[in-house]
């Protein structure tokens, strides 16, 4: 499994960035250090010569000329070339001046009894650091490049060795679902944080697989154990339709109860199954059409007036199987409980509405839904739909609201 | 109505008896088997039009029984699996074993009857290129239609619409599914389909005594015929 911003890539980038930053900082420090050393040498030379001139004056009362040719003694700051006097007035402690014409000047005041002279050294001709700057910069850049290349190589090795167990673990976890995780797979990992993670993941997935298997076995067993007697009950209730001494009310009550029992079994099992967690965008109209077509009684009942007014572009997010069970139950209920044989299904402004005629005096079980409001709402909740039941004197309406509708 | 010969392999005698009685009441010949070995033996020794097989039998798994019947049978016999298991995995395993149709318990007896008729009809379809539903006859290869022996001339689109209904029979075909099948994604508005259904009815229903093309309001269309298989 590959990620756009994987841990290995991030480690490499961090390592490389750090190496680049450190190389650049040290290069700047090297250049700065050379400038400082050079300046200090010049300052010391000027300081010594100033001390020599002052000493000679003290001994002889004579002002001697500076010995090095690149030094000049001025009577005062004002006699120095522009713009040095002005710069000195602005900053009296300054001793180094850059003159565009004369180059770099280092200065030192010389105490000559009643007056103070200024010793100036034009060091432009001796600034080797400036002369060597292009060459040194080139070498420094080469050094940076080499350091970065080395850092990239080392970081690649470090990232690989650090992330490899994690990557194997990621691949193993990604494969779960495609096939079962082999037992004891965590043993292949080192005894460190990754190993601990692998053990925890293995324990969690094993637990999850056990739970899923238990769910599958449970729903399968429940399905068999409940559906088989429910089948017998359904067949018997159908038989009672023709040959029984039951009153019509009791017969209807029995049939409705059997239908509700069947709906409840189907819905509960469908809700319990992991396979029905797969929710995707689905066109609503074909889903409704399929529900009606595969509704055995409804598709063969000519007297039932069914109207579907759902625009074909309407799409909803749901699990098709679970949604079909919900629609199937709503269709069955409308067939069984409507006071007139008919149902209008319409979609309007983010709502799906099931509407049928109702007898105002006859209350419907479970708040109007055969499988019970609770289960219908549970199905709707699974898709983040909201279901409301509305009832007037003559109309029974189930309104399902889709998110964002 | 053609008499179908049906074998019911079901360990629950209450269910088997009621299904058998109902199908017998509709003119079908029924054999029963309450155990897998008995069912396999009967299925292989006799010529049944449909085998109704329960998925969970006391002495074997219905899927294995289906596999044996399908694998060893000299002529293809359709199998309708009756099951109390309805998970996706169970259905996939069932179809992989060669089941032709699946009916989840509890079921309506009429649905068992219709499914048996559809399976028997489907087997006949494989054996001949002509599909016959009652008095209607459709030749898929020659793209010809006749009713009561009289040829009917249809436009290519009308023929495709009729063929979709014939193939879906005895189920209905949804309006949306029909337009998708005929025109694909760029389907026209519903008036065009309505206009084709009108011309189709004019050709297939109007000159004859009874109407075969039935509208399921708001949903789609279905062929209807009392004496069809």
């Amino acid at each position: 499994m590959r990620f756009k911003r994987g841990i290995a890539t991030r480690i490499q980038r961090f390592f490389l960035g750090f190496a680049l930053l450190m190389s650049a900082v040290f290069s700047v420090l090297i250049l700065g250090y050379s400038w400082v050393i050079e300046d200090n040498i010049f300052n010391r030379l000027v300081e010594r010569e100033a001390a020599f001139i002052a000493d000679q004056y003290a001994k002889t009362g004579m002002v001697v000329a500076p010995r090095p040719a690149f030094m000049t003694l001025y009577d005062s700051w004002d006699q120095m070339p522009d713009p040095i006097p002005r710069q000195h007035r602005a900053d009296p402690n300054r001793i180094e001046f850059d003159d565009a014409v004369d180059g770099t000047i280092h200065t030192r005041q010389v105490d000559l009894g009643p007056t103070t002279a200024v010793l100036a050294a034009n060091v432009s001709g001796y600034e080797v650091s400036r002369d060597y700057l292009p060459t040194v910069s080139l070498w420094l850049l080469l050094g940076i490049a080499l350091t970065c290349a080395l850092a990239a190589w080392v970081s690649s090795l470090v990232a690989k060795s650090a992330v490899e167990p994690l990557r194997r673990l990621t691949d193993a976890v990604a494969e779960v679902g495609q096939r079962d995780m082999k037992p004891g797979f965590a043993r292949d990992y080192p005894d460190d944080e990754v190993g601990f993670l692998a053990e925890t993941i293995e324990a969690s997935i094993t637990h999850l697989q056990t739970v899923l298997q238990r769910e599958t076995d449970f729903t399968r067993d429940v399905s068999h154990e409940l559906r088989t007697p429910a089948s017998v009950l359904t067949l018997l209730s159908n038989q009672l339709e023709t040959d029984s001494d039951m009153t019509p009310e009791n017969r209807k009550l029995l049939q409705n109860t059997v239908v509700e029992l069947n709906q409840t079994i189907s819905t509960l099992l469908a809700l319990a199954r992991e396979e029905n967690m797969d929710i995707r965008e689905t066109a609503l109209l074909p889903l409704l059409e399929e529900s009606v077509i595969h509704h055995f009684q409804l598709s063969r009942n000519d007297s039932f007036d069914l109207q579907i007014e759902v625009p074909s572009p309407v799409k909803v997010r749901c699990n098709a199987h679970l949604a079909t069970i919900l629609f199937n139950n709503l269709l069955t209920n409308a067939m069984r409980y409507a006071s007139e044989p008919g149902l209008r299904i319409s979609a309007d402004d983010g709502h799906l509405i099931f509407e049928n005629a109702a007898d105002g005096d006859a209350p419907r079980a479970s708040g109007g839904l055969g499988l019970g409001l609770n289960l219908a709402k549970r199905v709707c909740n699974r898709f983040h739909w909201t279901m409301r039941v509305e009832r007037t004197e003559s109309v029974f309406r189930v309104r399902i609201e889709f998110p964002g509708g | 109505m053609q008499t179908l010969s049906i074998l019911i392999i079901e360990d629950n005698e209450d269910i088997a008896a009621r299904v058998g009685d109902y199908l017998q009441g509709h003119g079908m010949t029924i054999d029963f088997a309450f155990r897998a070995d008995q069912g396999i033996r009967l299925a292989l020794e006799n010529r049944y039009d449909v085998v109704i097989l329960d998925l969970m039998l006391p002495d074997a798994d219905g899927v294995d029984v289906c596999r044996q019947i399908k694998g060893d049978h000299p002529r293809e016999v359709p199998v309708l699996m009756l099951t109390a298991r309805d998970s996706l995995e169970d259905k996939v395993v069932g179809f992989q074993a060669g089941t032709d149709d699946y009916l989840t318990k509890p079921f309506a007896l009429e649905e068992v009857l219709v499914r048996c008729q559809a399976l028997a009809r489907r087997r006949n379809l494989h054996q001949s290129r002509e599909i016959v539903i009652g008095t209607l006859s459709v030749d898929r290869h020659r793209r010809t239609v006749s009713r009561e022996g009289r040829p009917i001339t249809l436009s290519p689109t009308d023929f495709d619409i009729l063929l979709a209904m014939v193939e879906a029979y005895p189920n209905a075909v949804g309006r949306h599914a029909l337009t998708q099948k005929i025109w694909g994604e760029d389907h026209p508005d519903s008036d065009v389909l309505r206009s084709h259904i009108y011309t189709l009815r004019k050709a297939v229903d109007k000159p004859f005594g009874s109407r075969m093309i039935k509208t399921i309001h708001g949903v789609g269309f279905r062929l209807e015929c009392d004496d069809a298989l």
Side-chain angles (χ1 to χ4, degrees):
Chain A
M1 202 161 186
R2 292 287 175 269
F3 300 94
K4 201 182 270 183
R5 279 178 53 80
I7 294 175
T9 312
R10 275 188 283 163
I11 288 176
Q12 281 174 288
R13 283 184 187 169
F14 177 79
F15 223 87
L16 202 57
F18 185 73
L20 184 65
L21 180 70
M22 284 298 104
S23 308
V25 166
F26 274 96
S27 299
V28 171
L29 281 177
I30 286 168
L31 288 175
Y33 180 72
S34 67
W35 282 102
V36 169
I37 294 294
E38 197 175 71
D39 270 359
N40 275 293
I41 290 170
F42 290 142
N43 287 338
R44 274 195 194 177
L45 286 174
V46 177
E47 196 177 315
R48 270 190 203 169
E49 193 59 26
F52 172 75
I53 293 169
D55 187 49
Q56 286 299 312
Y57 181 78
K59 283 179 182 167
T60 62
M62 298 285 290
V63 177
V64 295
R67 288 167 295 179
F70 63 94
M71 291 187 190
T72 311
L73 188 65
Y74 293 94
D75 290 339
S76 67
W77 285 99
D78 292 334
Q79 287 186 357
M80 293 191 71
D82 274 338
I84 295 173
R86 200 173 58 248
Q87 289 173 338
H88 171 70
R89 279 193 294 277
D91 180 8
N93 293 324
R94 185 170 171 179
I95 58 170
E96 187 180 338
F97 301 90
D98 279 318
D99 182 352
V101 179
D102 296 323
T104 307
I105 312 279
H106 282 247
T107 61
R108 189 82 187 177
Q109 292 192 149
V110 186
D111 188 16
L112 298 175
T115 59
T116 303
V118 181
L119 180 63
N122 187 336
V123 299
S124 303
Y126 304 94
E127 285 180 320
V128 287
S129 60
R130 182 170 290 176
D131 295 342
Y132 283 95
L133 185 63
T135 312
V136 171
S137 300
L138 196 66
W139 279 105
L140 285 174
L141 283 175
L142 199 64
I144 290 173
L146 277 172
T147 308
C148 288
L150 192 67
W153 179 62
V154 172
S155 67
S156 158
L157 291 179
V158 169
K160 200 175 170 187
S161 68
V163 173
E164 185 52 30
L166 208 53
R167 182 170 286 163
R168 274 194 294 129
L169 182 61
T170 313
D171 290 343
V173 171
E175 277 181 25
V176 175
Q178 296 166 21
R179 59 173 177 76
D180 284 345
M181 181 173 272
K182 64 174 183 189
F185 95 107
R187 282 198 298 269
D188 300 341
Y189 293 88
D191 183 20
D192 57 12
E193 290 87 341
V194 177
F196 176 76
L197 198 61
E199 274 176 23
T200 310
I201 288 173
E202 185 185 348
S204 302
I205 289 178
T206 306
H207 176 67
L208 208 61
Q209 283 171 344
T210 311
V211 169
L212 273 175
Q213 188 56 49
R214 205 162 57 225
E215 177 260 295
T216 307
D217 293 343
F218 176 76
T219 51
R220 186 174 286 171
D221 291 345
V222 166
S223 184
H224 181 255
E225 298 306 328
L226 286 183
R227 283 181 197 274
T228 304
S231 291
V232 177
L233 209 55
T234 306
L235 296 177
L236 270 175
S237 78
N238 289 344
Q239 203 174 327
L240 289 175
E241 210 167 304
T242 49
D243 50 333
S244 98
D245 295 331
M246 270 186 167
T247 61
E249 290 78 21
N250 283 345
R251 194 179 298 137
K252 186 154 189 175
L253 178 64
L254 174 68
Q255 286 170 344
N256 286 346
T257 308
V258 169
V259 168
E260 285 184 15
L261 176 70
N262 292 339
Q263 287 179 342
T264 305
I265 292 170
S266 303
T267 313
L268 279 176
L269 286 171
L271 277 169
R273 286 197 176 111
E274 176 67 17
E275 67 192 33
N276 294 327
M277 290 296 288
D278 181 20
I279 292 173
R280 52 185 70 184
E281 197 169 64
T282 312
L284 186 59
L285 182 59
L287 208 58
L288 283 165
E289 281 185 357
E290 285 299 303
S291 300
V292 173
I293 285 167
H294 291 107
H295 193 287
F296 190 76
Q297 283 83 15
L298 182 59
S299 64
R300 279 160 179 77
N301 188 338
D302 294 337
S303 60
F304 194 83
D305 179 21
L306 178 69
Q307 295 172 38
I308 299 184
E309 292 160 16
V310 176
S312 56
V314 175
K315 288 188 174 178
V316 291
R317 284 190 64 75
C318 66
N319 173 275
H321 179 60
L322 211 47
T324 306
I325 287 178
L326 174 69
F327 296 153
N328 200 48
N329 289 345
L330 293 174
L331 292 169
T332 302
N333 292 335
M335 277 195 76
R336 292 197 159 265
Y337 296 105
S339 61
E340 291 166 24
L343 174 69
R344 181 170 172 265
I345 305 172
S346 59
D348 173 29
D349 206 18
H351 292 84
L352 178 67
I353 299 163
F354 287 69
E355 198 173 56
N356 59 263
D359 182 354
D361 297 330
R364 272 165 61 162
S366 309
L369 291 166
L371 78 162
L373 264 179
N374 190 37
L375 283 183
K377 280 187 174 169
R378 280 277 301 279
V379 175
C380 288
N381 288 346
R382 180 70 62 85
F383 312 143
H384 304 290
W385 296 355
T386 313
M387 196 193 82
R388 276 206 318 273
V389 174
E390 298 164 1
R391 186 179 184 132
T392 64
E393 274 297 305
S394 56
V395 175
F396 180 81
R397 190 181 294 120
V398 175
R399 185 187 291 274
I400 295 169
E401 188 179 346
F402 306 124
Chain B
M1 184 185 290
Q2 185 187 331
T3 300
L4 295 181
S5 170
I6 293 177
L7 171 64
I8 301 175
I9 309 174
E10 163 69 81
D11 65 311
N12 188 313
E13 293 184 23
D14 291 329
I15 294 176
R18 276 166 181 81
V19 172
D21 286 351
Y22 184 82
L23 295 179
Q24 225 160 10
H26 285 78
M28 303 193 178
T29 310
I30 309 296
D31 273 347
F32 293 99
F34 301 109
R35 293 168 51 85
D37 54 351
Q38 187 189 8
I40 294 168
R41 187 173 50 76
L42 281 173
L44 297 178
E45 283 175 4
N46 299 287
R47 291 170 65 92
Y48 294 105
D49 294 303
V50 178
V51 172
I52 298 175
L53 172 64
D54 182 30
L55 185 67
M56 290 185 83
L57 293 165
D59 53 336
D61 192 322
V63 172
D64 296 330
V65 175
C66 179
R67 211 171 273 133
Q68 284 193 52
I69 292 174
K70 286 287 190 178
D72 299 343
H73 209 283
R75 62 190 257 283
E76 186 75 2
V77 55
V79 173
L80 170 62
M81 190 81 88
L82 286 187
T83 176
R85 294 177 184 168
D86 68 338
S87 74
L88 191 62
E89 189 189 340
D90 288 325
K91 285 180 184 172
V92 169
V93 170
F95 281 117
Q96 280 172 346
T99 301
D100 297 271
D101 202 358
Y102 222 88
L103 195 54
T104 308
K105 292 176 183 176
F107 47 80
L109 289 170
E110 303 96 298
E111 193 161 8
V112 181
L113 172 68
V114 169
R115 298 248 188 161
C116 286
Q117 289 173 333
L119 283 175
R121 194 181 128 263
R122 203 190 299 168
R123 195 193 57 186
N124 291 338
L125 286 185
H126 290 305
Q127 291 167 354
S128 77
R129 66 184 182 186
E130 196 174 43
I131 309 169
V132 179
I133 298 172
T135 56
L136 183 73
S137 175
V138 177
D139 189 320
R140 276 184 293 193
H141 298 284
R142 289 185 184 159
R143 294 177 70 82
T144 56
V145 179
S146 65
R147 190 172 170 188
E148 294 177 6
R150 287 154 57 187
I152 298 169
T153 308
L154 295 176
S155 72
T157 307
D158 286 356
F159 180 85
D160 289 337
I161 293 171
L162 182 66
L163 187 62
M165 285 189 230
V166 165
E167 285 174 344
Y169 181 84
N171 290 323
V173 56
R175 198 182 283 271
H176 185 268
L178 193 58
T179 47
Q180 285 279 327
K181 185 167 185 169
I182 306 295
W183 290 287
E185 287 299 324
D186 302 322
H187 54 79
D189 58 33
S190 57
D191 286 342
V192 177
L193 178 64
R194 202 174 297 136
S195 148
H196 278 286
I197 293 293
Y198 174 76
T199 55
L200 197 54
R201 279 202 169 112
K202 207 170 157 187
V204 175
D205 281 346
K206 205 174 175 187
F208 304 93
S210 60
R211 290 178 62 174
M212 289 190 76
I213 300 170
K214 187 108 189 143
T215 300
I216 303 176
H217 289 294
V219 177
F221 307 93
R222 177 161 58 87
L223 282 181
E224 196 169 74
C225 177
D226 290 338
D227 57 347
L229 269 181

